[in-house]
Amino acid sequence: MADDFDDFLQSLPDKLTEKLSPILREQAERLSQAQRAALQALEQSPDETGHLEESCVVVPGSNDLEFIVQAGGELTTKEVRDGSSVPFDYSLGFEFGTSRQPARPFFYSTYNVMRDDMQRAIEDAINEVLND
């Protein structure tokens, strides 16, 4: 009996990784897609957020259980127009606002709406592994 339990415990990390990795990836992709949809709803002209929407991606993290949902970066960073040659990522201006435009949140607000459902999907996958 103890050997069976020990075998179960030893196999648990691999079983969890095998089951959770695709679930985590799926949830990250769902979130990123919802953020792109939120941006589309906020657009005021067809090309206003094209690069911002394009920058909404999921990238692998440092292990099989880490996926990073991100927006902005190289596609949305430009020099400030005041001639100071300071780079500014306009995804931040879009999300949080600037002195010239109000905030038009799409990133964290979408995450906050989806957080409970994503957590439930992850918990269900964990419980499935533990109950097998």
Side-chain angles (χ1 to χ4, degrees):
M1 179 82 162
D3 286 340
D4 290 342
F5 185 66
D6 189 50
D7 290 345
F8 171 76
L9 290 178
Q10 294 299 322
S11 70
L12 202 51
D14 291 338
K15 287 180 180 179
L16 284 169
T17 298
E18 183 181 322
K19 181 70 176 179
L20 285 178
S21 186
I23 299 294
L24 292 169
R25 174 75 182 193
E26 176 186 311
Q27 294 305 310
E29 291 290 348
R30 282 186 58 237
L31 175 58
S32 186
Q33 181 60 38
Q35 290 167 335
R36 284 190 292 276
L39 274 172
Q40 290 170 357
L42 293 171
E43 285 182 349
Q44 293 182 1
S45 67
D47 54 61
E48 182 180 15
T49 61
H51 289 300
L52 181 52
E53 184 181 337
E54 184 182 341
S55 77
C56 293
V57 294
V58 175
V59 295
S62 62
N63 61 60
D64 291 340
L65 297 176
E66 182 178 52
F67 297 95
I68 301 163
V69 178
Q70 62 186 27
E74 191 176 298
L75 288 173
T76 58
T77 300
K78 298 179 181 179
E79 285 187 16
V80 178
R81 286 188 236 164
D82 66 3
S84 65
S85 71
V86 175
F88 177 71
D89 188 338
Y90 71 84
S91 69
L92 297 172
F94 209 91
E95 177 76 9
F96 300 109
T98 68
S99 61
R100 296 185 177 116
Q101 77 174 26
R104 294 182 279 176
F106 69 96
F107 194 86
Y108 293 108
S109 57
T110 304
Y111 166 74
N112 286 331
V113 167
M114 296 181 67
R115 178 179 46 213
D116 291 342
D117 287 340
M118 291 187 307
Q119 186 64 42
R120 197 168 9 267
I122 294 165
E123 289 170 359
D124 288 348
I126 291 170
N127 287 330
E128 189 175 317
V129 169
L130 295 177
N131 292 326
D132 276 348

